[in-house]
Structure formats: structure tokens, C-alpha cells
Amino acid sequence: MTDVGSAPWAGREDEATAPTRSLSPEQQLELIDRVKGLEARLAQVAATRELTPTEQLSAEQQLLELRRSLPWRVGRVVTIPVRVLQRAGRRLRRR
């Protein structure tokens, strides 16, 4: 498969000339492969998109709000014994 940015894109063909140009089966497969590769790359970029500074600030504020909430604090207190046992278990396994 060729690199995503290596092959130039010819753009749209005129509708009048499009029917006169036929692609070989190999060219059709290459074109399909390129389209699928571009779609996969787009999905990857969309999934790993970094947050803008405004989005980052908003996410941090939401996290602080969550940690100040009563359900979060109650949950932390209730799970203290489990967290202590997990920490002790990890320390014993390291020895």
C-alpha cells in the first residue's frame, strides 16, 4: 500500500469524460485499497485527536467537580479497605 500522502489526487473528472475512461481490475483494486486506507487513517486521527485548550480546561473542571461530589467521596471512603488490601498484595508480590 502506498503512503497516504504520496499519490496525488486528480480531483473530480468531468461527467462527460468519466464514462470514456475505464480502469483495469488491478487499478480498481488499488483505488479501493487507497480509499480504505484513507478511511482507516481518518478514523485513527479522529480517535486520537487532542483536546483544544478550552476543551482541556472544561474536562479538568468537570473532573474537579466530580471529585468534590458527595457520591465520589462516599465511594472513596467505602473502597478504602479494598484499596489497602490491593496495595499490600502488590507489595508482597514484589518481594
Side-chain angles (χ1 to χ4, degrees):
M1 186 171 133
T2 61
D3 186 28
V4 173
S6 66
W9 182 61
R12 293 185 72 145
E13 295 180 351
D14 288 349
E15 290 179 310
T17 60
T20 61
R21 181 176 173 201
S22 63
L23 297 174
S24 70
E26 292 82 17
Q27 290 173 322
Q28 289 177 357
L29 288 175
E30 287 175 7
L31 184 59
I32 290 169
D33 186 46
R34 178 163 167 75
V35 169
K36 287 184 178 184
L38 289 171
E39 288 173 342
R41 178 70 179 134
L42 178 62
Q44 180 184 21
V45 167
T48 59
R49 179 183 74 84
E50 291 192 23
L51 298 177
T52 65
T54 305
E55 292 171 330
Q56 179 71 30
L57 181 60
S58 175
E60 289 172 1
Q61 288 173 343
Q62 289 175 5
L63 185 59
L64 287 173
E65 236 176 79
L66 173 72
R67 288 185 175 166
R68 280 191 291 249
S69 70
L70 182 62
W72 173 269
R73 289 184 284 154
V74 169
R76 294 286 293 176
V77 169
V78 169
T79 60
I80 285 175
V82 174
R83 287 184 285 129
V84 168
L85 290 173
Q86 285 177 338
R87 191 175 306 136
R90 282 192 299 264
R91 286 183 182 165
L92 288 174
R93 276 184 255 148
R94 281 189 222 152
R95 293 182 181 187

